[in-house]
Amino acid sequence: MKKKTKTITIDGIDKKILRALMQDARTPILEIARNVGISGAAIHQRLRKLEQSKLLAGSKFVIDPKILGFSTLAFVGIYLDKAADSDSVINALKSIPEVVECHYTTGNYSLFIKVLSLDNNHLMKLLNKEIQPINGVSRTESLISLEQQIDRQVKI
């Protein structure tokens, strides 16, 4: 059984720091310190505390897949032969680079994945030759995203 995630309480200063970094993770610490009204050292201490609490899961650059030619984004619902197959199916999906997310879900699908492909033809090949042949996959249903309308993090 999965352990319950520990929650933390953050104060107004932590929220200001997080909002600044969520807007631009490359914002200099001293600039944030000036805007918040505390020292750079205090910002570092607070960030260390937030990292230790696991609230901050890291920082990363976000690559726009369209610039690399990935013009089709699809969500694929996967039906499994039986729930016990999920671990082996997930391991097989991990070997397909175009699968960028995988969620174990309630509802009709056992798994719900996010797939980036160059075009619809590439998506069809991924489905027919790589995803559907995975042992344990019963069938799939695909939804192609026409355009992303919302992209945000949780509000702080």
Side-chain angles (χ1 to χ4, degrees), residues 10-18 32 36 38 43 46:
I10 55 177
D11 65 17
I13 293 173
D14 287 339
K15 288 179 182 180
K16 287 179 183 178
I17 295 166
L18 291 170
I32 296 171
V36 173
I38 62 175
I43 298 283
R46 284 173 173 268

Side-chain angles (χ1 to χ4, degrees), residues 81-101:
D81 290 330
K82 52 186 180 284
D85 293 335
S86 66
D87 288 343
S88 64
V89 171
I90 291 167
N91 283 333
L93 290 169
K94 286 178 181 177
S95 71
I96 304 170
E98 294 88 349
V99 175
V100 294
E101 289 183 24

